[in-house]
PDB file of all heavy atoms in Angstrom:
ATOM      1  N   VAL R 135      84.792 196.840 290.894  1.00 98.00           N
ATOM      2  CA  VAL R 135      84.705 195.592 291.595  1.00 98.00           C
ATOM      3  C   VAL R 135      84.319 195.868 293.052  1.00 98.00           C
ATOM      4  O   VAL R 135      85.077 196.573 293.748  1.00 98.00           O
ATOM      5  CB  VAL R 135      85.981 194.778 291.511  1.00 98.00           C
ATOM      6  CG1 VAL R 135      85.793 193.433 292.221  1.00 98.00           C
ATOM      7  CG2 VAL R 135      86.367 194.598 290.026  1.00 98.00           C
ATOM      8  N   VAL R 141      83.044 199.427 300.105  1.00 98.00           N
ATOM      9  CA  VAL R 141      84.230 199.737 299.414  1.00 98.00           C
ATOM     10  C   VAL R 141      84.179 199.015 298.027  1.00 98.00           C
ATOM     11  O   VAL R 141      83.917 197.875 297.909  1.00 98.00           O
ATOM     12  CB  VAL R 141      85.440 199.273 300.215  1.00 98.00           C
ATOM     13  CG1 VAL R 141      86.757 199.676 299.452  1.00 98.00           C
ATOM     14  CG2 VAL R 141      85.471 199.852 301.650  1.00 98.00           C
ATOM     15  N   THR R 213      93.977 194.397 301.596  1.00 98.00           N
ATOM     16  CA  THR R 213      93.959 192.902 301.952  1.00 98.00           C
ATOM     17  C   THR R 213      93.261 192.111 300.876  1.00 98.00           C
ATOM     18  O   THR R 213      93.653 191.009 300.528  1.00 98.00           O
ATOM     19  CB  THR R 213      93.258 192.711 303.271  1.00 98.00           C
ATOM     20  OG1 THR R 213      91.990 193.255 303.296  1.00 98.00           O
ATOM     21  CG2 THR R 213      94.136 193.297 304.408  1.00 98.00           C
ATOM     22  N   ARG R 305     102.998 212.401 312.665  1.00 97.00           N
ATOM     23  CA  ARG R 305     103.072 212.243 314.142  1.00 97.00           C
ATOM     24  C   ARG R 305     103.626 210.923 314.627  1.00 97.00           C
ATOM     25  O   ARG R 305     103.838 210.717 315.779  1.00 97.00           O
ATOM     26  CB  ARG R 305     101.640 212.468 314.749  1.00 97.00           C
ATOM     27  CG  ARG R 305     101.138 213.916 314.641  1.00 97.00           C
ATOM     28  CD  ARG R 305      99.727 213.953 315.207  1.00 97.00           C
ATOM     29  NE  ARG R 305      99.174 215.270 315.275  1.00 97.00           N
ATOM     30  CZ  ARG R 305      99.240 216.147 316.354  1.00 97.00           C
ATOM     31  NH1 ARG R 305      99.858 215.748 317.418  1.00 97.00           N
ATOM     32  NH2 ARG R 305      98.712 217.299 316.299  1.00 97.00           N
ATOM     33  N   GLY R 311     110.871 199.671 310.021  1.00 97.00           N
ATOM     34  CA  GLY R 311     110.142 198.567 309.529  1.00 97.00           C
ATOM     35  C   GLY R 311     109.224 198.859 308.397  1.00 97.00           C
ATOM     36  O   GLY R 311     108.372 197.989 308.053  1.00 97.00           O
ATOM     37  N   GLY R 320     106.635 219.534 295.105  1.00 96.00           N
ATOM     38  CA  GLY R 320     107.160 220.847 294.603  1.00 96.00           C
ATOM     39  C   GLY R 320     107.580 221.750 295.723  1.00 96.00           C
ATOM     40  O   GLY R 320     107.054 221.679 296.844  1.00 96.00           O
TER      41      GLY R 320
END
Side-chain angles (χ1 to χ4, degrees):
V135 182
V141 183
T213 54
R305 289 180 176 266

